[in-house]
């Protein structure tokens, strides 16, 4: 037991966290990609800067799009960093499953493993990603906690 610190973290609901990470990769990441994939050139070519900097005004829609695109690119860079920091096995599974969109059957063939073994590794990869993403600067906590 630590003398100075209490390291007890809340209990994580692994099953719910795995589902949350899968949903994140299948729902949120494609939206971020779409936002980041917008043509920055077309948004920057003729932005409307009317009333910029005057009291009580808000950013216009072109500027909002530019900020959204930049934020999406930043978020994708964070996600890529977290994946790159995962163990080799988790990094491969996350990349093949969620970035290259391989089916589980294709992953079985790549790994020469059974369905249940690949499924177990996929679940571990999701949990590892959730833990790492929650600790990286700018990341988010995808973990779901057990109600106490």
């Amino acid at each position: 037991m630590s003398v100075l610190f209490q390291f007890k973290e809340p209990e994580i609901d692994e099953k719910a966290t795995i589902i949350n990470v899968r949903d994140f990769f299948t729902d949120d990441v494609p939206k971020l990609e779409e936002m980041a994939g917008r043509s920055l050139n077309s948004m920057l070519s003729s932005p409307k800067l009317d009333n910029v900097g005057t009291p009580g005004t808000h950013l216009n829609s072109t500027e909002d799009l530019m900020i959204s695109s930049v934020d999406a690119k930043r978020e994708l860079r964070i996600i890529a960093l977290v994946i790159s920091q995962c163990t080799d096995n988790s990094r491969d599974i996350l990349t093949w499953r969620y970035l290259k969109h391989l089916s589980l059957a294709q992953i079985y063939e790549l790994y020469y493993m059974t369905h249940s073994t690949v499924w177990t590794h996929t679940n571990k990869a999701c949990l590892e990603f959730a833990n790492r993403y929650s600790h990286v600067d700018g990341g988010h906590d995808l973990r779901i906690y057990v109600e106490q």
Side-chain angles (χ1 to χ4, degrees):
M1 176 170 193
S2 175
V3 176
L4 297 176
F5 303 101
Q6 296 292 328
F7 289 108
K8 183 170 171 51
E9 291 189 15
E11 185 179 354
I12 295 172
D13 182 335
E14 290 186 354
K15 187 175 182 178
T17 297
I18 291 165
I19 291 168
N20 203 34
V21 171
R22 287 186 185 143
D23 290 345
F24 172 75
F25 276 109
T26 57
D27 297 337
D28 295 351
V29 171
K31 290 175 187 170
L32 287 169
E33 291 171 330
E34 183 178 323
M35 289 170 61
R38 294 179 63 98
S39 170
L40 289 175
N41 189 39
S42 66
M43 289 191 289
L44 294 172
S45 61
S46 59
K48 296 178 185 174
L49 299 176
D50 45 319
N51 297 324
V52 171
T54 60
T57 62
H58 298 284
L59 297 173
N60 64 41
S61 62
T62 303
E63 290 166 326
D64 288 342
L65 289 175
M66 290 188 319
I67 291 169
S68 294
S69 177
V70 169
D71 289 345
K73 285 181 181 179
R74 180 181 172 279
E75 193 65 33
L76 289 173
R77 281 194 293 270
I78 292 168
I79 294 165
L81 173 69
V82 171
I83 291 172
S84 74
Q85 293 174 341
C86 287
T87 60
D88 291 344
N89 197 32
S90 292
R91 184 178 57 245
D92 289 347
I93 295 247
L94 292 170
T95 300
W96 291 338
R97 184 74 178 129
Y98 299 110
L99 304 179
K100 295 184 178 183
H101 307 289
L102 296 182
S103 69
L104 289 175
Q106 290 170 311
I107 296 172
Y108 310 148
E109 291 175 20
L110 287 169
Y111 265 115
Y112 301 105
M113 293 182 187
T114 65
H115 174 276
S116 62
T117 304
V118 171
W119 195 251
T120 299
H121 285 297
T122 302
N123 290 342
K124 286 180 183 178
C126 288
L127 290 171
E128 181 180 352
F129 178 83
N131 285 324
R132 290 179 183 274
Y133 193 43
S134 69
H135 290 102
V136 72
D137 187 30
H140 301 282
D141 196 352
L142 298 176
R143 298 172 297 181
I144 305 296
Y145 298 95
V146 174
E147 300 265 340
Q148 298 291 332

